[in-house]
Amino acid sequence: MTAFDTHTRTLISRTQLNRPLARRLYWTALVVSIVVFAFLFLFPLYWLFSSGLKSASEVEQIPQTLIPHSWQWSNFSTAWSSYDLGRFIFNTAYYAFGAVVLQLVFDVAAAYALSKLRPVLGNVVLGLMLATLMIPATVLVIPNYLTAVNVPVLHWNLINNPMAIWLPSVANGFNIFLLKRFFDSIPEELMAAAAIDGAGPLRALRSIVLPMSRPILAVVSIFAMVAVWKDVLWPLLVINDTSKMTINVGLLNLTGDGIPLNIEMASLAVAAVPTIVFFLIFQRNIMAGLTAGSLKG
Amino acid sequence: MATINVSHARARGLPREGGPAPSARRRKAPLGRRVRRNLVSYAFLIGAILCFLVFSWYPIVHEFVLSFQHLNKFGQTEGWRGWRNYQNMIHDPSFWTSVRVTLVFTGLALIFGYAVPFLLAVGLNEFRHAQGFFRLLVYLPVMLPPVAAAFLWRWFYAPDGSGFFNTVLHFLHLPTSQWLQSPNNTFVVLCMVIFSTWSNMGSGVLIYLASLQGIPGELYEAAELDGAGIFKRIWHVTVPQTRLILSLMLLTQIVATMQTFTESLALTRGEPGTATLVYQVYQDATNFGNFGGSAAISSVLLIVLAIFSGAYLYVSRRVAEE
């Protein structure tokens, strides 16, 4: 029972847990919790995938079958080909990738300037950027939509243009703040040494700041990517060309189609796969990004 | 949701290195070099500044301006209306329905989406095994495309026998329910909240777990010696020790749930009487071309959310200082 001993103590003490009765209770509670969690969080996904496999009549059958009688793998290919899911997923990945690149370029440059180059009025600019954290993007959709329809001064129409998703994502006060704080922790001596060696600001950014900032760059990239993948309202407003829709908007569009239930479930399953795979690959980074800062000090 | 999580960065940032008194050196630099230095700085900043200008700073002002304007259905300004948009809003019963739905949603989400993850985290923290498994599972729905998750649940909630919940109720010989099509609005909103809790609780649980692990074991030790039972230990040790994270999450939860949109759109299409405020904003603008009215609702929401977000930033600074 080394696991019991190495852990710091929590609500219930080790000695208490080591009593035979308590130990039995602990294992019972653990097994029950595992079953309940699996039921709550895994079963809906199982239901999604297995319903996507069923035939049209079986999926409507009352009572429902727990395991599909006939395994219609063709449902997934039907969903994929008739509802253009591949395109929606590709579009979303493309928008997400562009948002990551643009944020890395512009937000890193901005945070670097604010942290290391310290221009006149830099603090005012930073303050104005941080002030936007008080206003969630959702409440600005109307003016933002009108801006996307007709960008002030330039008179561009960004509707159905990827820029409508990429450019607003750059205006992310939170990511700039994260980056700036991280850059602040890079010692000035290193920057001074680079300057003495004749490195300009761009060179110093490339060969000192960026290599040292990999963890925070990963966090910002993941935030940017997940944000695009989870957004519904904004792409719904600015992308209405079917061939350019994101996966969320594409799915919303499916329902009006009189699509059979089993094919609908197969579509949802296909739509869920990329995010599940992404999560399984990057779970450590995702969870670290989420919790690291919420810890005290 | 992560967009306003400032505590993150503050906690992450290491204490700043002093450096060799930059001001003294900079003052000696010739004017030409200083100008050049600033030009270079602003060259680095220009991309972000322009994006903020066009998609954040200007829209904040523009929102209030729009709310006093009359716009045609293409979004072109056709003159001023004064307070008319606001007056129409106040006299529109559907506005008050969506206010009610939003408030009920936020209220119920405080019971489910806020309290449940904390209790779950307190329980999970006691397990010495399978921690990774629990974290992975509880966070899985957070990663799903929201519309895919909502459609799956809409089918779970199907009012006839094909819905999963009704199948289970039927199997247990219990009366089935209309779920999302129930005539009782509050019950429908509850169904929305349950879905919303399922899909979003992952981040809350993980954040609570992280902060629970920071509680010194001696505190529990001492409480136990004083004869405190499990519930007293939770109340007198766990809760006070996570007080700031709890208040931070409370504000996050309020700000997030007051912007509920996808639940309305994908689960019920706002029917019957289940449109949230943001859904109302969306619908007024897209279906009715009433941009001025939408802007009026958004402006009110903006002020309310800015107050909560301001409180959030204040509390998060205190978290960072502790």
Side-chain angles (χ1 to χ4, degrees):
Chain A
M1 275 300 104
T2 47
F4 280 86
D5 304 324
T6 52
H7 226 273
T8 52
R9 120 148 245 174
T10 49
L11 210 47
I12 299 163
S13 71
R14 255 175 289 159
T15 38
Q16 230 173 349
L17 264 184
N18 279 331
R19 285 179 206 142
L21 177 68
R23 202 177 273 191
R24 215 171 299 153
L25 270 176
Y26 171 85
W27 286 105
T28 318
L30 183 68
V31 169
V32 168
S33 303
I34 288 176
V35 171
V36 168
F37 265 71
F39 180 76
L40 280 179
F41 295 104
L42 226 44
F43 186 76
L45 288 179
Y46 166 76
W47 201 248
L48 176 65
F49 282 89
S50 68
S51 303
L53 275 172
K54 292 174 182 173
S55 70
S57 58
E58 191 185 349
V59 80
E60 306 264 13
Q61 190 180 309
I62 302 169
Q64 295 275 317
T65 47
L66 204 56
I67 299 163
H69 286 312
S70 59
W71 293 48
Q72 294 201 8
W73 290 100
S74 60
N75 289 347
F76 290 100
S77 54
T78 310
W80 179 268
S81 56
S82 353
Y83 295 99
D84 237 2
L85 292 177
R87 176 158 289 283
F88 295 149
I89 290 170
F90 171 81
N91 289 344
T92 318
Y94 176 59
Y95 297 145
F97 176 75
V100 169
V101 171
L102 257 74
Q103 283 192 40
L104 285 184
V105 172
F106 290 120
D107 289 358
V108 165
Y112 173 67
L114 292 170
S115 170
K116 293 294 178 219
L117 306 179
R118 315 253 184 92
V120 176
L121 295 181
N123 281 335
V124 176
V125 172
L126 180 66
L128 284 172
M129 286 175 173
L130 292 184
T132 63
L133 293 180
M134 290 176 58
I135 291 141
T138 317
V139 296
L140 294 180
V141 287
I142 299 303
N144 269 337
Y145 172 73
L146 296 176
T147 299
V149 171
N150 185 358
V151 177
V153 187
L154 302 167
H155 299 292
W156 292 339
N157 182 344
L158 296 181
I159 299 300
N160 287 321
N161 187 322
M163 285 296 171
I165 290 179
W166 293 341
L167 293 180
S169 81
V170 172
N172 187 330
F174 177 64
N175 281 351
I176 289 186
F177 186 69
L178 274 184
L179 289 164
K180 184 194 174 275
R181 288 297 298 191
F182 198 92
F183 294 165
D184 283 349
S185 70
I186 293 174
E188 286 298 332
E189 286 83 354
L190 271 178
M191 307 302 295
I196 289 166
D197 286 347
L202 194 62
R203 182 73 205 277
L205 172 65
R206 216 177 49 214
S207 41
I208 296 179
V209 176
L210 287 185
M212 290 181 78
S213 310
R214 278 205 198 113
I216 197 71
L217 297 180
V219 167
V220 168
S221 305
I222 285 171
F223 282 168
M225 188 164 289
V226 173
V228 171
W229 219 280
K230 295 210 69 173
D231 200 3
V232 178
L233 179 54
W234 183 243
L236 186 63
L237 284 169
V238 293
I239 309 284
N240 42 45
D241 179 342
T242 313
S243 66
K244 291 178 178 167
M245 283 177 178
T246 63
I247 187 70
N248 280 310
V249 182
L251 289 177
L252 278 169
N253 245 27
L254 287 187
T255 47
D257 252 0
I259 167 173
L261 190 55
N262 56 338
I263 306 292
E264 183 185 336
M265 289 303 137
S267 306
L268 301 183
V270 170
V273 167
T275 52
I276 294 176
V277 172
F278 178 79
F279 176 50
L280 294 180
I281 294 173
F282 292 104
Q283 46 146 323
R284 258 168 216 288
N285 311 56
I286 292 170
M287 291 182 182
L290 180 78
T291 55
S294 308
L295 282 165
K296 282 191 266 173
Chain B
M1 216 170 69
T3 49
I4 53 163
N5 197 349
V6 168
S7 62
H8 251 234
R10 288 185 182 277
R12 187 179 277 277
L14 304 170
R16 174 178 296 176
E17 302 285 328
S23 57
R25 260 195 311 168
R26 222 173 275 170
R27 209 174 300 139
K28 279 181 201 152
L31 181 68
R33 196 185 294 169
R34 264 184 292 157
V35 169
R36 213 182 134 239
R37 188 185 171 87
N38 272 301
L39 283 179
V40 171
S41 294
Y42 275 97
F44 276 95
L45 272 166
I46 191 73
I49 288 182
L50 282 178
C51 287
F52 270 94
L53 198 62
V54 175
F55 292 102
S56 266
W57 299 328
Y58 165 68
I60 292 171
V61 181
H62 196 198
E63 176 114 89
F64 289 104
V65 174
L66 286 170
S67 71
F68 294 105
Q69 285 183 335
H70 176 63
L71 289 96
N72 65 18
K73 63 179 170 78
F74 304 106
Q76 284 150 340
T77 305
E78 298 204 326
W80 295 91
R81 304 193 78 178
W83 290 95
R84 281 262 300 289
N85 286 327
Y86 288 96
Q87 280 161 356
N88 290 346
M89 176 184 90
I90 289 170
H91 293 120
D92 181 3
S94 65
F95 167 71
W96 291 107
T97 309
S98 54
V99 167
R100 187 181 158 273
V101 168
T102 305
L103 289 180
V104 172
F105 191 100
T106 302
L108 289 173
L110 288 185
I111 299 171
F112 290 92
Y114 177 62
V116 171
F118 180 69
L119 296 177
L120 269 184
V122 169
L124 289 183
N125 196 38
E126 293 308 309
F127 290 131
R128 270 80 169 146
H129 305 86
Q131 284 277 350
F133 170 82
F134 287 123
R135 280 160 206 263
L136 195 70
L137 278 199
V138 82
Y139 203 70
L140 198 53
V142 180
M143 294 299 292
L144 297 178
V147 173
F151 279 4
L152 174 65
W153 274 69
R154 196 179 54 179
W155 184 43
F156 285 171
Y157 280 134
D160 53 28
S162 76
F164 179 73
F165 294 135
N166 274 351
T167 307
V168 173
L169 288 178
H170 190 80
F171 180 76
L172 297 171
H173 297 287
L174 290 170
T176 55
S177 168
Q178 291 284 96
W179 303 112
L180 296 172
Q181 280 159 46
S182 155
N184 181 349
N185 272 2
T186 311
F187 178 72
V188 178
V189 176
L190 175 67
C191 292
M192 290 158 70
V193 169
I194 289 172
F195 160 71
S196 179
T197 304
W198 178 82
S199 48
N200 296 317
M201 71 156 74
S203 25
V205 171
L206 293 191
I207 288 170
Y208 289 137
L209 273 175
S211 74
L212 287 173
Q213 265 140 35
I215 300 177
E218 302 87 66
L219 292 176
Y220 289 116
E221 206 87 37
E224 201 176 358
L225 286 177
D226 287 345
I230 285 189
F231 292 105
K232 277 206 162 155
R233 270 175 258 162
I234 293 179
W235 189 245
H236 292 292
V237 180
T238 314
V239 172
Q241 284 292 309
T242 47
R243 192 185 77 249
L244 282 170
I245 290 291
L246 278 170
S247 41
L248 219 50
M249 292 297 284
L250 179 72
L251 292 165
T252 311
Q253 178 82 358
I254 292 171
V255 172
T257 53
M258 286 187 71
Q259 300 174 66
T260 302
F261 170 73
T262 316
E263 282 81 353
S264 253
L265 176 76
L267 286 180
T268 64
R269 292 267 168 191
E271 296 296 328
T274 58
T276 57
L277 277 168
V278 176
Y279 188 80
Q280 191 75 28
V281 167
Y282 163 76
Q283 218 180 17
D284 275 359
T286 56
N287 290 8
F288 311 125
N290 182 5
F291 290 99
S294 286
I297 301 178
S298 302
S299 300
V300 172
L301 203 53
L302 190 156
I303 291 171
V304 173
L305 292 186
I307 292 169
F308 281 112
S309 303
Y312 176 93
L313 294 181
Y314 174 76
V315 175
S316 70
R317 186 168 305 163
R318 283 185 48 203
V319 171
E321 278 164 9
E322 264 201 19

Coordinates of all heavy atoms in Angstrom, one line a residue, chain A residues 131-140, chain B residues 3-4 63-64 102-103 106 250-260 277-278 281 297-313:
Chain A
A131 N -8.1 46.0 -20.2 CA -9.5 46.4 -19.9 C -10.5 45.6 -20.7 O -11.6 45.4 -20.3 CB -9.6 47.9 -20.3
T132 N -10.1 45.1 -21.9 CA -11.0 44.4 -22.7 C -11.4 43.0 -22.1 O -12.3 42.4 -22.5 CB -10.5 44.1 -24.1 OG1 -9.3 43.3 -24.0 CG2 -10.1 45.4 -24.9
L133 N -10.6 42.6 -21.1 CA -10.9 41.3 -20.4 C -12.2 41.4 -19.6 O -12.8 40.4 -19.3 CB -9.8 41.0 -19.4 CG -8.4 40.6 -20.0 CD1 -7.4 40.3 -19.0 CD2 -8.6 39.4 -21.0
M134 N -12.6 42.7 -19.4 CA -13.8 42.8 -18.6 C -15.1 42.7 -19.5 O -16.2 42.6 -19.0 CB -13.9 44.2 -17.9 CG -12.8 44.3 -16.8 SD -12.8 45.9 -16.1 CE -14.4 46.2 -15.5
I135 N -14.9 42.7 -20.8 CA -16.0 42.6 -21.7 C -15.9 41.4 -22.6 O -15.1 41.3 -23.5 CB -16.1 43.9 -22.5 CG1 -16.5 45.0 -21.6 CG2 -17.2 43.7 -23.6 CD1 -15.8 46.3 -21.9
P136 N -16.7 40.3 -22.3 CA -16.7 39.1 -23.1 C -17.1 39.4 -24.5 O -18.0 40.2 -24.7 CB -17.7 38.2 -22.4 CG -18.2 38.9 -21.2 CD -17.8 40.3 -21.2
A137 N -16.5 38.7 -25.4 CA -16.7 38.9 -26.9 C -18.2 38.8 -27.2 O -18.7 39.4 -28.2 CB -15.8 38.0 -27.7
T138 N -18.9 37.9 -26.5 CA -20.3 37.6 -26.8 C -21.1 38.9 -26.9 O -22.0 39.0 -27.7 CB -20.9 36.7 -25.8 OG1 -20.0 35.7 -25.5 CG2 -22.2 36.1 -26.3
V139 N -20.9 39.8 -26.0 CA -21.7 41.0 -25.9 C -21.4 42.0 -27.0 O -22.0 43.0 -27.2 CB -21.8 41.7 -24.5 CG1 -22.3 40.8 -23.5 CG2 -20.4 42.2 -24.1
L140 N -20.3 41.8 -27.7 CA -19.9 42.7 -28.8 C -20.2 42.2 -30.2 O -19.8 42.7 -31.2 CB -18.4 43.0 -28.7 CG -17.9 43.7 -27.4 CD1 -16.4 43.9 -27.5 CD2 -18.6 45.1 -27.3
Chain B
T3 N -10.9 33.3 -21.2 CA -10.4 34.6 -21.7 C -10.3 35.6 -20.6 O -9.6 36.6 -20.7 CB -11.4 35.1 -22.7 OG1 -12.7 35.0 -22.2 CG2 -11.3 34.4 -24.0
I4 N -10.9 35.3 -19.4 CA -10.7 36.3 -18.4 C -10.0 35.8 -17.2 O -9.9 36.4 -16.1 CB -12.1 36.9 -17.9 CG1 -13.0 35.8 -17.5 CG2 -12.7 37.8 -19.0 CD1 -14.2 36.2 -16.7
E63 N -21.1 49.9 -29.9 CA -22.2 49.2 -29.3 C -23.2 50.2 -28.7 O -24.4 50.2 -29.0 CB -21.8 48.2 -28.2 CG -22.9 47.6 -27.5 CD -22.9 46.1 -27.8 OE1 -22.2 45.4 -27.0 OE2 -23.5 45.7 -28.8
F64 N -22.7 51.1 -27.9 CA -23.6 52.1 -27.3 C -24.1 53.1 -28.3 O -25.3 53.4 -28.2 CB -22.8 52.9 -26.2 CG -22.5 52.0 -25.0 CD1 -21.3 51.5 -24.7 CD2 -23.5 51.7 -24.1 CE1 -21.0 50.7 -23.6 CE2 -23.3 50.9 -23.0 CZ -22.0 50.4 -22.8
T102 N -32.5 33.7 -18.6 CA -31.1 33.9 -18.3 C -30.8 33.8 -16.8 O -29.9 33.2 -16.3 CB -30.5 35.2 -18.9 OG1 -30.8 35.2 -20.3 CG2 -29.1 35.3 -18.7
L103 N -31.7 34.5 -16.0 CA -31.5 34.5 -14.6 C -31.7 33.2 -14.0 O -31.0 32.7 -13.1 CB -32.4 35.6 -13.9 CG -32.0 37.0 -14.2 CD1 -33.0 38.0 -13.5 CD2 -30.6 37.3 -13.8
T106 N -28.8 31.0 -14.9 CA -27.6 31.4 -14.0 C -27.8 30.9 -12.6 O -26.9 30.3 -12.0 CB -27.4 32.9 -14.0 OG1 -27.2 33.3 -15.4 CG2 -26.2 33.3 -13.2
L250 N -17.0 31.4 -8.7 CA -18.4 31.9 -8.7 C -18.6 33.0 -9.7 O -19.6 33.0 -10.5 CB -18.7 32.5 -7.3 CG -20.1 33.1 -7.1 CD1 -21.1 32.0 -7.0 CD2 -20.2 33.9 -5.8
L251 N -17.7 34.0 -9.7 CA -17.8 35.1 -10.7 C -17.6 34.6 -12.1 O -18.4 35.0 -13.0 CB -16.7 36.1 -10.4 CG -16.9 36.9 -9.1 CD1 -15.7 37.6 -8.7 CD2 -18.1 37.8 -9.2
T252 N -16.7 33.6 -12.4 CA -16.5 33.1 -13.7 C -17.8 32.4 -14.2 O -18.3 32.6 -15.3 CB -15.5 31.9 -13.7 OG1 -14.3 32.4 -13.0 CG2 -15.1 31.5 -15.1
Q253 N -18.4 31.7 -13.2 CA -19.7 31.0 -13.6 C -20.8 32.0 -13.9 O -21.5 31.7 -14.9 CB -20.0 30.1 -12.3 CG -21.3 29.4 -12.5 CD -21.1 28.1 -13.2 OE1 -20.0 27.8 -13.7 NE2 -22.1 27.3 -13.4
I254 N -20.9 33.0 -13.1 CA -21.9 34.0 -13.4 C -21.7 34.7 -14.8 O -22.6 34.7 -15.6 CB -22.0 35.1 -12.3 CG1 -22.5 34.5 -11.0 CG2 -22.9 36.3 -12.7 CD1 -22.3 35.4 -9.8
V255 N -20.5 35.1 -15.1 CA -20.2 35.7 -16.3 C -20.4 34.8 -17.5 O -21.0 35.1 -18.5 CB -18.7 36.3 -16.4 CG1 -18.4 36.8 -17.7 CG2 -18.6 37.4 -15.3
A256 N -20.0 33.5 -17.3 CA -20.1 32.5 -18.4 C -21.6 32.2 -18.6 O -22.1 32.1 -19.8 CB -19.3 31.3 -18.1
T257 N -22.4 31.9 -17.6 CA -23.7 31.5 -17.8 C -24.7 32.6 -18.3 O -25.6 32.3 -18.9 CB -24.3 30.8 -16.5 OG1 -24.2 31.7 -15.4 CG2 -23.7 29.5 -16.2
M258 N -24.3 33.8 -18.0 CA -25.2 34.9 -18.5 C -25.0 35.1 -20.0 O -25.8 35.8 -20.6 CB -24.9 36.2 -17.7 CG -25.5 36.1 -16.3 SD -25.4 37.7 -15.4 CE -26.6 38.6 -16.2
Q259 N -24.0 34.4 -20.5 CA -23.8 34.5 -22.0 C -24.3 33.3 -22.7 O -23.9 33.0 -23.8 CB -22.3 34.7 -22.3 CG -21.7 35.9 -21.7 CD -20.2 35.8 -22.0 OE1 -19.8 35.9 -23.1 NE2 -19.4 35.7 -21.0
T260 N -25.0 32.4 -22.0 CA -25.5 31.2 -22.6 C -26.1 31.4 -23.9 O -27.0 32.3 -24.0 CB -26.5 30.5 -21.6 OG1 -25.8 30.3 -20.4 CG2 -26.9 29.2 -22.2
L277 N -30.7 35.7 -23.2 CA -30.5 37.1 -23.7 C -29.7 37.1 -25.0 O -30.0 37.8 -25.9 CB -29.9 37.9 -22.6 CG -30.8 38.5 -21.6 CD1 -30.1 39.1 -20.4 CD2 -31.7 39.6 -22.2
V278 N -28.6 36.3 -24.9 CA -27.7 36.3 -26.1 C -28.4 35.7 -27.3 O -28.2 36.2 -28.4 CB -26.4 35.6 -25.8 CG1 -25.5 35.5 -27.1 CG2 -25.6 36.3 -24.7
V281 N -30.5 38.4 -28.6 CA -29.7 39.4 -29.4 C -29.4 38.8 -30.8 O -29.6 39.6 -31.8 CB -28.3 39.6 -28.7 CG1 -27.3 40.3 -29.6 CG2 -28.5 40.4 -27.4
I297 N -30.0 45.6 -26.0 CA -29.9 44.4 -25.1 C -28.4 44.2 -24.8 O -28.0 44.0 -23.6 CB -30.5 43.2 -25.7 CG1 -32.0 43.4 -26.0 CG2 -30.4 42.0 -24.7 CD1 -32.7 42.2 -26.7
S298 N -27.5 44.1 -25.8 CA -26.1 43.9 -25.6 C -25.5 44.9 -24.7 O -24.7 44.6 -23.8 CB -25.3 43.9 -26.9 OG -25.9 42.9 -27.8
S299 N -25.9 46.2 -24.8 CA -25.3 47.2 -24.0 C -25.6 47.0 -22.5 O -24.8 47.2 -21.7 CB -25.8 48.6 -24.4 OG -25.5 48.9 -25.8
V300 N -26.9 46.6 -22.3 CA -27.3 46.3 -20.9 C -26.4 45.2 -20.3 O -25.8 45.2 -19.3 CB -28.8 46.0 -20.8 CG1 -29.1 45.6 -19.4 CG2 -29.6 47.2 -21.2
L301 N -26.3 44.1 -21.2 CA -25.6 42.9 -20.8 C -24.1 43.3 -20.6 O -23.4 42.8 -19.6 CB -25.7 41.9 -21.8 CG -25.5 40.4 -21.5 CD1 -26.3 40.0 -20.3 CD2 -25.8 39.5 -22.7
L302 N -23.6 44.2 -21.4 CA -22.2 44.6 -21.3 C -21.9 45.2 -20.0 O -20.9 44.9 -19.3 CB -21.9 45.5 -22.5 CG -20.5 45.9 -22.8 CD1 -20.3 46.4 -24.2 CD2 -19.9 47.0 -21.9
I303 N -22.8 46.1 -19.6 CA -22.6 46.8 -18.3 C -22.6 45.8 -17.1 O -21.7 45.8 -16.3 CB -23.6 47.9 -18.1 CG1 -23.3 49.0 -19.1 CG2 -23.5 48.5 -16.7 CD1 -24.4 50.1 -19.2
V304 N -23.6 44.9 -17.2 CA -23.7 44.0 -16.1 C -22.5 43.1 -16.0 O -21.9 42.8 -15.0 CB -25.0 43.1 -16.2 CG1 -25.1 42.0 -15.2 CG2 -26.2 44.0 -16.1
L305 N -22.1 42.5 -17.2 CA -20.9 41.6 -17.2 C -19.6 42.3 -16.9 O -18.8 41.7 -16.2 CB -20.8 40.9 -18.6 CG -22.0 40.0 -18.9 CD1 -21.7 39.2 -20.2 CD2 -22.2 39.0 -17.8
A306 N -19.5 43.6 -17.3 CA -18.3 44.3 -17.0 C -18.2 44.5 -15.5 O -17.0 44.4 -14.9 CB -18.3 45.7 -17.6
I307 N -19.3 44.6 -14.8 CA -19.2 44.8 -13.3 C -18.7 43.4 -12.7 O -17.8 43.4 -11.9 CB -20.6 45.1 -12.7 CG1 -21.0 46.6 -13.2 CG2 -20.6 45.0 -11.2 CD1 -22.4 47.0 -12.9
F308 N -19.3 42.3 -13.1 CA -18.9 41.0 -12.6 C -17.4 40.7 -13.0 O -16.6 40.2 -12.2 CB -19.8 39.9 -13.1 CG -21.1 39.8 -12.4 CD1 -22.3 40.1 -13.0 CD2 -21.1 39.4 -11.0 CE1 -23.4 40.0 -12.3 CE2 -22.3 39.4 -10.3 CZ -23.5 39.7 -11.0
S309 N -17.0 41.1 -14.2 CA -15.7 40.8 -14.6 C -14.7 41.7 -13.9 O -13.6 41.3 -13.5 CB -15.5 41.1 -16.1 OG -16.3 40.3 -16.9
G310 N -15.1 42.9 -13.6 CA -14.3 43.8 -12.8 C -14.0 43.2 -11.4 O -12.9 43.2 -10.9
A311 N -15.1 42.7 -10.8 CA -15.0 42.0 -9.5 C -14.0 40.8 -9.6 O -13.2 40.6 -8.8 CB -16.4 41.6 -9.0
Y312 N -14.1 40.1 -10.8 CA -13.3 39.0 -11.0 C -11.8 39.4 -11.0 O -11.0 38.8 -10.3 CB -13.6 38.3 -12.3 CG -12.8 37.1 -12.7 CD1 -13.1 35.8 -12.3 CD2 -11.6 37.3 -13.3 CE1 -12.3 34.8 -12.6 CE2 -10.7 36.3 -13.6 CZ -11.1 35.0 -13.3 OH -10.2 34.0 -13.6
L313 N -11.5 40.4 -11.8 CA -10.1 40.9 -11.8 C -9.6 41.3 -10.5 O -8.5 41.0 -10.1 CB -10.0 42.0 -12.8 CG -10.3 41.7 -14.3 CD1 -10.1 42.9 -15.2 CD2 -9.4 40.5 -14.8

